[in-house]
Amino acid sequence: MGATKSYEFSTTENRLAKYAKALGHPARIAILKILAGKSTCQCGDIVEELPLSQSTVSQHLKELKEAGLIKGEIDGAKVCYCIDAKAWKGAQVWINQLFDSYEGCNESC
């Protein structure tokens, strides 16, 4: 498999791709929906709401955190997660810009 050459693309394109990858699994979408409805949430709370093991949820949280969509604060032995409001808004703007750039399809499509 060849190199991705991500350096050949703009910062915005790379960031949008990172968000898209993070959004590319239904479990992560479910986690984001849970977190969007709460100000903060511990991993165990999320595990209780999903049909996934704690380790699987933790892996999905790691992906979302690496993409910058969520933040995790250590609270004793637990980590409290929440939506990163600034990144969330940025992702929304960039995704909307991508979809808004569609000019329609001509008859040859």
Side-chain angles (χ1 to χ4, degrees):
M1 189 168 188
T4 62
K5 295 189 179 184
S6 59
Y7 60 87
E8 297 281 347
F9 299 94
S10 72
T11 301
T12 300
E13 290 165 338
N14 276 287
R15 175 56 71 180
L16 186 54
K18 191 176 243 189
Y19 290 148
K21 180 182 176 197
L23 296 172
H25 194 286
R28 292 194 283 272
I29 299 295
I31 290 168
L32 288 171
K33 287 171 72 176
I34 291 167
L35 293 176
K38 300 178 181 199
S39 60
T40 186
C41 196
Q42 294 178 349
C43 182
D45 299 333
I46 298 167
V47 171
E48 289 177 13
E49 294 192 41
L50 298 175
L52 302 171
S53 69
Q54 187 276 327
S55 62
T56 301
V57 169
S58 291
Q59 281 300 113
H60 287 301
L61 288 165
K62 178 182 174 195
E63 288 287 330
L64 291 168
K65 191 172 178 185
E66 286 177 0
L69 291 170
I70 66 171
K71 298 187 284 187
E73 299 280 328
I74 298 172
D75 182 20
K78 298 182 180 188
V79 180
C80 297
Y81 293 94
C82 65
I83 297 290
D84 183 323
K86 185 176 178 181
W88 187 263
K89 185 65 177 168
Q92 180 184 19
V93 168
W94 290 342
I95 289 169
N96 286 342
Q97 285 175 349
L98 173 65
F99 281 96
D100 290 345
S101 69
Y102 176 65
E103 295 180 7
C105 186
N106 62 31
E107 293 180 26
S108 66
C109 288

